[in-house]
Amino acid sequence: MSDHDKTIYDFDTDLIYEYFGSLERQGPGSPEATRKALGFIEGLTERSRIADLGCGTGGQTMVMAQCVPGHITGLELSGEFIGIFNRNAARLGLQDRVEGVTGSMDDLPFEKGSLDLIWSEGAIYNIGFERGLTLWREYLKLGGYVAVTDACWFTAERPAEIHGYWTRHYPGIDTIPANVATVQRAGYVPVATFTLPAGCWTDNYFAPGRAAQERLLSRYPGNAAVEEFVEAQRYEARMYDKYGAFYGYVFYIGKKI
Ligand code: SAH
């Protein structure tokens, strides 16, 4: 297998967590995009219960907490990320209504029908877009919202190189209209869909990534696994430079009825 064929699951988890844990966010996104998506959510109050699934270290969770009322539970597989998440919440004085817990997004620790909003940026791909939307629906109240970002194709067809890259890394990747149909099929009214601007990748994801790669290389000089991992990150950025017109992250907001 060449380095470029390796997916994130082929690397050591300690290395993945060390690298991504040093970034403010672990996927493409921005405070502006988070706030824009929140603008479509109606009716939140101090009593609202919100879950942010696959929250990482909580970059987007803290933005949410500063914009909307209610209690937010961040759920994340990595205990290390949850440690950083809870320290971030405390540093911002949000610890009374923002709490990070470890767990898996396909085994939610919430009561059925208890949530007003389920949020998930750049993480639903871990369990699949349709599977996640379907599983999560029963945890929402009637009239509750789901808001997720996922990597999607912008066009019906695309060059073979980028098609092959994404098919290896995320076989479930689909087009925007197909995903909107999935939102509806999973039992939600598709309320809004918008693509994230390129800066969410270039400025907010790849640029901090470059600095984190340098830190990793200087911390582990001559370590082949680290070099391979860094090369895979750099290849991802080169793919985006070349083919960013054909794919990107998209916000999907749906309302349970
Ligand atoms: N939402 C954050 C992190 C996105 S990266 C952001 O936008 O910055 C995806 C996150 O999902 C990682 O932190 C990863 O550890 C987490 N994850 C992967 N599988 C998961 C699962 N089954 N349950 C919960 N979290 C998971």
Side-chain angles (χ1 to χ4, degrees), residues 17 25-28 52-56 60 75-78 81 103-106 121-123 125-127:
Y17 288 135
R25 298 192 50 142
Q26 289 74 45
D52 184 2
L53 307 181
C55 58
Q60 72 295 326
L75 180 109
E76 163 61 50
L77 214 49
S78 158
F81 286 0
S104 183
M105 59 174 97
D106 59 3
E121 293 194 37
Y125 71 88
N126 285 297
I127 61 166

Side-chain angles (χ1 to χ4, degrees), residues 124-245:
I124 195 170
Y125 71 88
N126 285 297
I127 61 166
F129 189 75
E130 180 151 20
R131 179 163 175 251
L133 290 177
T134 306
L135 276 178
W136 298 348
R137 185 179 182 278
E138 53 183 330
Y139 293 89
L140 285 172
K141 297 176 184 164
L142 271 186
Y145 290 85
V146 70
V148 304
T149 62
D150 201 19
C152 308
W153 295 123
F154 288 166
T155 55
E157 290 174 15
R158 71 286 317 183
E161 185 179 23
I162 194 62
H163 186 87
Y165 177 83
W166 273 100
T167 305
R168 280 192 303 280
H169 289 261
Y170 179 30
I173 185 171
D174 214 333
T175 61
I176 298 172
N179 279 349
V180 172
T182 300
V183 171
Q184 182 169 304
R185 200 166 51 242
Y188 305 90
V189 177
V191 169
T193 300
F194 65 92
T195 57
L196 268 55
C200 288
W201 294 76
T202 51
D203 303 342
N204 298 354
Y205 184 56
F206 294 134
R210 277 195 296 277
Q213 290 150 24
E214 292 305 331
R215 287 196 297 273
L216 212 55
L217 289 172
S218 58
R219 196 170 308 139
Y220 303 102
N223 182 312
V226 168
E227 282 167 9
E228 251 181 64
F229 175 77
V230 165
E231 175 48 27
Q233 304 310 308
R234 290 177 174 166
Y235 188 71
E236 182 188 14
R238 288 202 296 280
M239 285 292 100
Y240 188 78
D241 272 353
K242 201 166 164 190
Y243 296 117

